[in-house]
Amino acid sequence: MNIRFHGHLNKYTNAFKRYQTRYFILDAQTKSLFYFMPDEVRKKGPRGVIELTDCWILPSNEDDVTFTVQTAGSGEAFKLR
């Protein structure tokens, strides 16, 4: 069974130093979090993929809704809310 959750989250982008809305799809089978530009979900492929195997979810000191996904493989950190 392929369980999927989806919806909008705000992703922090270093290029603009602010949050931007992205559409996310969590695929439990592949253990991946795909993200899209909000208007490109059906038109194009994902803007990026966050591999969730061997990762950490870290709460933020900023507020109650912000968290970071820290990946072990690439060492990337994704700040979301």
Side-chain angles (χ1 to χ4, degrees):
M1 177 167 34
N2 189 8
I3 300 170
R4 297 178 115 185
F5 296 94
H6 55 91
H8 290 93
L9 288 171
N10 293 314
K11 179 181 170 289
Y12 187 80
T13 58
N14 287 326
F16 298 109
K17 303 287 186 215
R18 63 183 171 99
Y19 286 93
Q20 293 185 316
T21 301
R22 299 287 182 259
Y23 188 81
F24 284 81
I25 297 175
L26 174 63
D27 189 321
Q29 184 176 357
T30 64
K31 298 176 180 73
S32 300
L33 188 59
F34 300 90
Y35 60 93
F36 304 79
M37 296 294 285
D39 55 344
E40 296 179 352
V41 175
R42 301 204 188 272
K43 298 175 191 170
K44 297 182 180 181
R47 184 86 157 179
V49 180
I50 303 170
E51 299 295 331
L52 298 176
T53 52
D54 295 327
C55 74
W56 297 271
I57 308 298
L58 308 167
S60 173
N61 295 337
E62 292 177 31
D63 53 41
D64 292 341
V65 297
T66 304
F67 60 96
T68 300
V69 178
Q70 178 73 47
T71 62
S74 67
E76 288 186 274
F78 299 88
K79 192 172 175 182
L80 306 170
R81 66 176 178 195

